[in-house]
Amino acid sequence: MVNRDKLILDDLKKFRILNRDQIIAMHFNHLKQKVVVCNNVMKRLRRDGYVTACTESQPYNYFLNPSPIKKDSKKIPHFNAISEFYIEVCKYEKPRLFNVEPKLAEKSTIEPDCFMIVFNSPIFVEIQRSIYSAKVMQQKINRYKAYFESDEWMNLEWQGEKKFFPYIWIITDYKYKLDNVSPLQIFQTKDVNEFMETVVKQ
């Protein structure tokens, strides 16, 4: 197995599911015949039993074998949104660390969609595919405040000598009015490009 195969399998483990176009964006975008090469590689990985595919979707969705999620899971659009977000971020800078649905504390505390270190900054990311009520979003932020006050975050493996609580980045088409957020640093943008234009380039 070549190194690229291993990296594809690592990404399938990380993201749970990737469609062919996402795999191309992550591993084959530099090639002229990227679609053909990707199809051949994934066909071989399926043949050798490393991956399985949902052939009812176009392009195909690929999973590790055995798959960590069901092929008809309702969370597939959620994981696809995280993968697309990662691909968009990589157009500007590849994250030094990118964890999908990291388990940071007890259930019912904070549950970010992903955590990453990029642009020299640690960031919790919430990708809102639907509009929450103001009350539900405020409750989510309140859980982040409780996590901040717990000091548990100071022991995360990426922390250095100087402790830093991650920024919170909400991807949303609807800007929420949030109360009592200090000392949290929260950004709300509709996509990665808006974040780059309004936050990173400031």
Side-chain angles (χ1 to χ4, degrees):
M1 180 181 291
V2 299
N3 188 57
R4 182 173 59 192
D5 294 350
K6 295 177 182 178
L7 293 175
I8 291 171
L9 297 180
D10 286 345
D11 280 340
L12 283 171
K13 181 178 180 180
K14 176 189 296 184
F15 293 103
R16 280 63 158 187
I17 173 177
L18 292 169
N19 65 41
R20 184 205 62 193
D21 291 348
Q22 291 169 337
I23 294 172
I24 287 174
M26 293 180 186
H27 298 283
F28 298 93
N29 227 16
H30 61 290
L31 302 177
K32 288 185 177 180
Q33 293 185 309
K34 50 192 174 184
V35 174
V36 173
V37 176
C38 179
N39 284 341
N40 288 338
V41 169
M42 299 313 296
K43 183 178 181 179
R44 173 170 50 76
L45 291 175
R46 287 177 64 197
R47 181 199 67 202
D48 293 345
Y50 292 105
V51 304
T52 61
C54 177
T55 57
E56 296 175 3
S57 61
Q58 293 292 334
Y60 289 1
N61 283 322
Y62 291 95
F63 310 79
L64 279 182
N65 185 25
S67 173
I69 61 173
K70 294 181 179 179
K71 292 183 179 179
D72 60 352
S73 171
K74 292 182 179 180
K75 291 196 71 174
I76 285 177
H78 165 75
F79 286 122
N80 272 332
I82 294 174
S83 303
E84 289 296 332
F85 169 78
Y86 173 79
I87 290 167
E88 287 302 308
V89 170
C90 285
K91 291 178 180 178
Y92 297 94
E93 180 177 302
K94 186 173 182 177
R96 175 161 64 88
L97 179 66
F98 193 95
N99 293 333
V100 177
E101 293 189 341
K103 305 304 179 188
L104 301 167
E106 295 297 322
K107 189 72 175 174
S108 80
T109 55
I110 68 166
E111 297 178 333
D113 293 318
C114 54
F115 168 78
M116 62 181 181
I117 298 179
V118 69
F119 316 127
N120 294 318
S121 302
I123 308 174
F124 291 131
V125 182
E126 297 279 351
I127 301 175
Q128 301 303 130
R129 297 181 51 251
S130 56
I131 297 177
Y132 285 1
S133 68
K135 180 180 179 180
V136 169
M137 181 55 73
Q138 187 64 54
Q139 289 173 340
K140 184 187 289 283
I141 298 305
N142 291 345
R143 289 194 290 272
Y144 275 100
K145 285 201 68 172
Y147 182 60
F148 173 84
E149 292 166 358
S150 76
D151 289 343
E152 290 183 40
W153 54 275
M154 293 186 180
N155 298 318
L156 295 174
E157 61 181 16
W158 53 266
Q159 289 279 12
E161 185 175 336
K162 184 178 181 181
K163 309 302 180 184
F164 187 88
F165 190 80
Y167 297 109
I168 300 168
W169 179 7
I170 305 171
I171 305 291
T172 175
D173 289 329
Y174 175 82
K175 298 293 178 68
Y176 294 90
K177 185 179 183 301
L178 302 171
D179 298 319
N180 193 31
V181 299
S182 182
L184 305 179
Q185 299 186 69
I186 303 173
F187 304 103
Q188 300 184 62
T189 69
K190 65 180 180 180
D191 53 29
V192 174
N193 183 63
E194 183 183 351
F195 183 82
M196 293 299 302
E197 293 295 329
T198 61
V199 179
V200 176
K201 290 186 178 180
Q202 284 185 352

